[in-house]
Amino acid sequence: MPELVAITAPATAVADIVDEAGKRGAAGALIITAGLGHGAGSLAEAAERAAQKYGMRLIGPNCLGVMMPGADLNASFSAHMPGPGNLALISQSGAIAAGMVEWAAQRAVGFSGIVSIGDQLDVDIADLLDYFALDSKTRAILLYVEAIKDARKFMSAARAAARIKPVVVVKSGRMAQGAKAAATHTGALAGSDAVYDAAFRRAGVLRVSDLRELFDCAETLGRLESPPGKRLAILTNGGGIGVLAVDRLAELGGLPAALTPATRERLDSVLPPTWSGSNPVDIVGDADPARYAAALEVLLADPGNDAILVMNVQTAIAPADDIAATVTGLVSKYRQQHRDSAKPVLAVWVGTAQKIVDLLSEAGIPNYPTEDDAVRGFMHLVRHREVVEALAQVPPAMPSEFAPDIDAARQIVAAAIADGRHWLDPVEIKRLLEAYEIAMVPTFAAADAEQAVAHASKLFAQGATVVLKIMSRDIVHKSDVGGVVLNLTSPDAVRAATADILARAKALRPEARISGVIVQAMVVRSKARELILGLADDPTFGTVIVFGRGGTAVEIINDKALALPPLDLQLARDLIERTRVSRLLRAYRDVPAVKQDAVAMVLVKLAQMAADIPEIRELDINPLLADENGVLTVDARVAVGRVARKFAGSGPANFAVRPYPSQWQRHLEIKDGWRVFVRPIRPEDEPLIHEFLRHVTSQDLRLRFFAPMKKFTHPFIARLTQLDYARAMAFVAFDEATNEMIGLVQIHSDSIYESGEYAVLLRSDLKGRGLGWALMQLIIEYAKSEGLKAISGDVLQENMVMLEMCRSLGFEVKTDPVEHDVCDVKLTL
């Protein structure tokens, strides 16, 4: 029975070969052949149908192949087979994969696996991220991406993998202009590559700009663990190159390690008086191996740094290869003595021979041609640690007083769509924003000059001045046709301005449908900042949130940042901080700081609006005025339309990252009238989980985790509480009388969304009261709603209570063929 079939036959023969392989029990096929086409009626579709009959998985077509050095598998047409190592490469380009193999061969870098995925007919990037994330032989995952096929699946897999190990991506097509036809400022700002950048950031994936930087990442991540901080000590025999390294470190956000008085004293005792006296530690151009060793020993022992960069510029005085040999010997000895706490050591030997590169590589010391490459390599380690910490952060709780009028907002949008319109009028926009508690200036619609005067007179009576704006669904940017007149103070001025605006718009845009003018109160906030906030629709990732510097020159200034919804307050703050205008939100000179979190809350509300009303295709608030008193919308545009489901499964049709599934909250009544509240888990539940686990006996924990569990760390609990709600779900149960957590149940689906693995845990003192049964029924209901075909789990043979409950629920129970003390349980849905 073949396990894998590699197909290089002509395209017309591929489907028949796949079918024959399936008949013979093959688990999968690798299609190297190109030219199978795409879509309905293609040769690719025929091959996919043939594979599905037998449950086979397909890699390709149009790919280089698969190389798994640890298994001595080379199913590719690469010129060389890489050596075994701890890096995984997933590439949409066969040429890039082949290039990485050749580079690795020169640098003594090995791979746990290289997969060229080609057209991703079946197995895609997300499937392979799942595999390598759980592969114990893989330390880091490298990606070459041209386009993401299933954004929701990718985001789920990438986020899960990035929590465990570094995931680094280089994405081609960075300069593509995806926003040329955008109708709003927000849409114009949200270019395709910027959206990919936002997606990678949200998933915790480290993005690099080119292959050189990817090679540097491979050099670093394949050899070192991330340090606890970002303080770098630099040891060099050349002052200039040391200063360049410090400059680059500062630019990238790292810190030159400060030398403590004790460390400086120790260095004084082993170095000549001409050494630099600070970091970078310049030990002068005549430094020999002994001087390098003495200084390096001091820096390795110094708790004031997190990593060390050793650099050498070759001179005629001291042989560079002797220095390299001394450094590698010292580092190897240090690592043996500090196996669990060794600092990263990186190296740059400028202009040296290949034998020195080989010497450093064989010793497991990442080495680079320049100080710039080395500092970047160090910062990749730092960024990975920061990503893991960020992914594990507990977000702040949402203000409980925010309660949007979702029904009213939906009715506004639905009425416009039913009327055949693609844009909301200004009054509808004001009502929509007010339904989500986003303040907007008083706004009225006027069909002619007399209606404009009537509305303006009410505002004059309140002491306000008036602004008039053209109202047309066809004129996107009002100022382009002179469609805005400010500072009107009398009915006559309003009457004249209305006539001028309407005449000017008809002359400049005779084809435009003009409905009249918008009448608004003139807002004067002399120290307010003008911002832009909005929603845009990306063809790959769905809805995107945009924030930046507002005003009429918004595209020219181009100060913006993007994020994928949903947002919490921390994500909104991070989005704001990625712009230059964020600095203006703080106090400066005589300008007070913008009210704390006022802007962030608007971003959170817009993200919630997008989740509730996917028919909002684009939204543009420009400008949003922000000052010490809060925020106020001056102008906004909203495009609406029917939305086709972009992503499979439940949740908003337009979100690549699912929002919190509040529709799964339940009030249950169990035995003897026991009232229980069950809801999907939240990130902020971590303290409740710790308290809950205090009420679970060590025996029950062993039955659940198959091993004694003495301590539950923050990263361990974070992986449970911080779900993406796409392929993983967990429900927590509370006693309604005491509000204490009393149980939880979770399920995690496989990458192809066919089967899910469940687990359940109850408070030990509350077992036998029907809670476990109720939670199992809930997770079965959830799995059915998600379209899963089966639920499975592993249960210890001694856990008789769980096995009996599984049988009662209809699970098939079998002894595991390998681990005989474990039962495999499975329920077909």
Side-chain angles (χ1 to χ4, degrees), residues 434-465:
E434 286 176 345
Y436 279 80
E437 302 175 11
I438 300 171
M440 186 172 180
V441 297
T443 301
F444 306 94
D448 54 35
E450 293 311 311
Q451 284 188 16
V453 168
H455 291 308
S457 297
K458 297 174 185 175
L459 296 174
F460 293 147
Q462 298 169 12
T465 55

Side-chain angles (χ1 to χ4, degrees), residues 394-528:
V394 176
M398 277 290 294
S400 56
E401 62 269 18
F402 174 51
D405 190 345
I406 300 171
D407 289 339
R410 283 176 175 158
Q411 287 173 13
I412 294 166
V413 173
I417 293 173
D419 195 31
R421 290 186 284 128
H422 297 292
W423 297 92
L424 298 187
D425 69 37
V427 176
E428 290 171 327
I429 291 172
K430 186 174 190 301
R431 288 167 50 213
L432 175 70
L433 295 180
E434 286 176 345
Y436 279 80
E437 302 175 11
I438 300 171
M440 186 172 180
V441 297
T443 301
F444 306 94
D448 54 35
E450 293 311 311
Q451 284 188 16
V453 168
H455 291 308
S457 297
K458 297 174 185 175
L459 296 174
F460 293 147
Q462 298 169 12
T465 55
V466 165
V467 55
L468 295 184
K469 302 174 183 179
I470 189 67
M471 183 166 62
S472 169
R473 65 181 71 178
D474 299 317
I475 300 175
V476 177
H477 304 306
K478 304 173 186 67
S479 56
D480 291 350
V481 295
V484 180
V485 179
L486 308 175
N487 294 316
L488 300 172
T489 57
S490 69
D492 288 342
V494 169
R495 190 176 286 110
T498 302
D500 288 346
I501 287 174
L502 294 175
R504 195 158 45 239
K506 287 174 183 174
L508 293 174
R509 293 287 303 276
E511 83 290 354
R513 292 164 290 181
I514 297 172
S515 305
V517 294
I518 305 160
V519 183
Q520 289 181 320
M522 185 79 186
V523 177
V524 179
R525 291 191 176 185
S526 59
K527 296 178 180 179

Side-chain angles (χ1 to χ4, degrees), residues 11 15 31 35-39 41-50 58 61 119 121:
I31 306 174
L36 272 70
H38 303 275
S42 66
L43 296 172
E45 185 194 41
E48 186 177 23
R49 278 202 314 269
L58 301 177
D119 294 341
L121 180 60

Side-chain angles (χ1 to χ4, degrees), residues 221-243:
L221 300 174
R223 304 186 194 278
L224 300 176
E225 299 289 346
S226 292
K230 54 184 178 182
R231 302 169 301 172
L232 182 65
I234 298 168
L235 175 61
T236 178
N237 69 340
I241 193 172
V243 174

Side-chain angles (χ1 to χ4, degrees), residues 126-441:
D127 293 318
L128 293 165
L129 280 170
D130 282 341
Y131 173 79
F132 286 117
L134 299 177
D135 176 33
S136 60
K137 297 182 179 69
T138 299
R139 173 182 279 177
I141 304 170
L142 311 178
L143 303 177
Y144 172 78
V145 172
E146 293 170 353
I148 298 298
K149 181 179 174 184
D150 183 334
R152 182 176 282 180
K153 183 180 176 185
F154 170 81
M155 292 298 293
S156 176
R159 186 175 171 84
R163 287 176 180 276
I164 303 170
K165 56 192 65 172
V167 180
V168 183
V169 62
V170 59
K171 162 79 172 64
S172 61
R174 288 187 299 124
M175 304 311 292
Q177 299 298 308
K180 288 182 180 177
T184 63
H185 290 295
T186 300
L189 291 174
S192 174
D193 190 67
V195 178
Y196 269 95
D197 215 38
F200 294 146
R201 182 184 294 272
R202 182 64 178 267
V205 172
L206 305 173
R207 184 174 187 179
V208 297
S209 58
D210 52 34
L211 283 181
R212 174 177 172 173
E213 202 173 351
L214 188 67
F215 290 156
D216 288 343
C217 261
E219 179 72 19
T220 312
L221 300 174
R223 304 186 194 278
L224 300 176
E225 299 289 346
S226 292
K230 54 184 178 182
R231 302 169 301 172
L232 182 65
I234 298 168
L235 175 61
T236 178
N237 69 340
I241 193 172
V243 174
L244 287 175
V246 168
D247 288 345
R248 196 73 183 109
L249 182 67
E251 287 174 9
L252 295 176
L255 294 174
L259 300 180
T260 63
T263 298
R264 191 176 290 110
E265 186 177 324
R266 288 191 62 197
L267 288 169
D268 282 336
S269 68
V270 297
L271 296 177
T274 51
W275 81 280
S276 61
S278 62
N279 185 24
V281 179
D282 177 8
I283 56 177
V284 198
D286 64 347
D288 60 7
R291 193 183 299 172
Y292 263 95
L296 182 55
E297 280 186 330
V298 173
L299 294 177
L300 287 170
D302 180 12
N305 65 66
D306 301 302
I308 300 166
L309 170 59
V310 182
M311 298 196 292
N312 175 264
V313 180
Q314 190 166 8
T315 68
I317 300 173
D321 51 352
D322 289 350
I323 295 172
T326 299
V327 167
T328 56
L330 180 59
V331 171
S332 297
K333 180 181 176 182
Y334 166 74
R335 287 174 176 170
Q336 289 172 359
Q337 294 172 344
H338 303 80
R339 291 187 182 277
D340 297 326
S341 59
K343 296 176 185 178
V345 177
L346 306 89
V348 173
W349 253 246
V350 179
T352 54
Q354 182 63 37
K355 65 179 182 178
I356 294 180
V357 172
D358 294 342
L359 180 67
L360 294 166
S361 297
E362 287 165 8
I365 299 175
N367 54 97
Y368 311 86
T370 71
E371 85 294 335
D372 181 89
D373 297 317
V375 170
R376 282 182 179 275
F378 168 68
M379 289 308 297
H380 290 316
L381 293 173
V382 172
R383 294 282 179 258
H384 171 63
R385 178 185 53 78
E386 292 174 344
V387 159
V388 171
E389 290 175 355
L391 288 174
Q393 280 181 355
V394 176
M398 277 290 294
S400 56
E401 62 269 18
F402 174 51
D405 190 345
I406 300 171
D407 289 339
R410 283 176 175 158
Q411 287 173 13
I412 294 166
V413 173
I417 293 173
D419 195 31
R421 290 186 284 128
H422 297 292
W423 297 92
L424 298 187
D425 69 37
V427 176
E428 290 171 327
I429 291 172
K430 186 174 190 301
R431 288 167 50 213
L432 175 70
L433 295 180
E434 286 176 345
Y436 279 80
E437 302 175 11
I438 300 171
M440 186 172 180
V441 297

Side-chain angles (χ1 to χ4, degrees), residues 448-734:
D448 54 35
E450 293 311 311
Q451 284 188 16
V453 168
H455 291 308
S457 297
K458 297 174 185 175
L459 296 174
F460 293 147
Q462 298 169 12
T465 55
V466 165
V467 55
L468 295 184
K469 302 174 183 179
I470 189 67
M471 183 166 62
S472 169
R473 65 181 71 178
D474 299 317
I475 300 175
V476 177
H477 304 306
K478 304 173 186 67
S479 56
D480 291 350
V481 295
V484 180
V485 179
L486 308 175
N487 294 316
L488 300 172
T489 57
S490 69
D492 288 342
V494 169
R495 190 176 286 110
T498 302
D500 288 346
I501 287 174
L502 294 175
R504 195 158 45 239
K506 287 174 183 174
L508 293 174
R509 293 287 303 276
E511 83 290 354
R513 292 164 290 181
I514 297 172
S515 305
V517 294
I518 305 160
V519 183
Q520 289 181 320
M522 185 79 186
V523 177
V524 179
R525 291 191 176 185
S526 59
K527 296 178 180 179
R529 292 66 151 180
E530 288 193 352
L531 307 172
I532 182 170
L533 295 80
L535 306 172
D537 186 50
D538 180 75
T540 301
F541 291 95
T543 299
V544 181
I545 310 287
V546 181
F547 170 80
R549 180 83 171 259
T552 55
V554 61
E555 285 98 348
I556 297 170
I557 295 171
N558 196 29
D559 176 22
K560 58 92 171 43
L562 279 67
L564 298 189
L567 297 182
D568 56 37
L569 272 174
Q570 187 56 51
L571 289 170
R573 291 169 188 154
D574 292 343
L575 173 61
I576 293 167
E577 284 300 315
R578 298 205 309 270
T579 61
R580 299 188 301 276
V581 76
S582 65
R583 290 171 244 166
L584 293 178
L585 303 186
R586 298 186 274 272
Y588 63 95
R589 294 187 178 177
D590 64 336
V591 180
V594 169
K595 186 177 180 182
Q596 186 176 11
D597 282 337
V599 178
M601 269 306 300
V602 177
L603 288 166
V604 172
K605 290 171 180 178
L606 288 179
Q608 185 61 51
M609 183 190 295
D612 297 334
I613 316 169
E615 292 80 9
I616 295 177
R617 308 308 301 272
E618 287 191 22
L619 184 148
D620 206 48
I621 296 177
N622 182 31
L624 179 84
L625 299 183
D627 60 17
E628 71 275 17
N629 297 313
V631 295
L632 183 66
T633 301
V634 174
D635 201 0
R637 288 179 60 80
V638 179
V640 297
R642 303 191 191 281
V643 60
R645 177 161 285 279
K646 195 180 293 285
F647 304 113
S650 61
N654 53 330
F655 275 31
V657 179
R658 279 199 194 177
Y660 182 76
S662 56
Q663 70 273 19
W664 279 95
Q665 298 182 33
R666 298 283 190 275
H667 291 274
L668 307 177
E669 185 168 327
I670 310 179
K671 287 181 183 177
D672 304 321
W674 189 19
R675 300 281 302 173
V676 172
F677 174 58
V678 183
R679 61 164 170 79
I681 203 165
R682 296 179 184 141
E684 58 265 34
D685 287 335
E686 182 173 336
L688 299 176
I689 296 287
H690 282 290
E691 177 61 25
F692 162 72
L693 291 170
R694 290 181 57 245
H695 298 276
V696 182
T697 65
S698 57
Q699 170 67 0
D700 282 348
L701 289 174
R702 188 182 67 81
L703 292 175
R704 163 63 183 86
F705 295 106
F706 289 20
M709 299 292 291
K710 295 181 179 179
K711 184 180 179 182
F712 292 92
T713 63
H714 165 63
F716 182 92
I717 300 296
R719 283 198 290 272
L720 173 64
T721 59
Q722 298 184 31
L723 306 180
D724 61 11
Y725 307 113
R727 295 182 302 158
M729 172 61 87
F731 293 101
V732 285
F734 298 86

Side-chain angles (χ1 to χ4, degrees), residues 38-115:
H38 303 275
S42 66
L43 296 172
E45 185 194 41
E48 186 177 23
R49 278 202 314 269
Q52 288 172 346
K53 282 195 296 184
Y54 307 101
M56 289 176 64
R57 302 303 306 273
L58 301 177
I59 293 178
N62 187 25
C63 67
L64 176 76
V66 174
M67 288 166 275
M68 305 293 285
D72 290 325
L73 171 66
N74 185 358
S76 77
F77 59 94
S78 172
H80 297 98
M81 173 70 164
N86 52 25
L87 290 175
L89 173 65
I90 306 167
S91 176
Q92 282 186 267
S93 164
I96 297 295
M100 285 293 286
V101 171
E102 298 308 307
W103 170 86
Q106 299 170 19
R107 308 287 292 189
V109 172
F111 288 89
S112 56
I114 296 178
V115 184

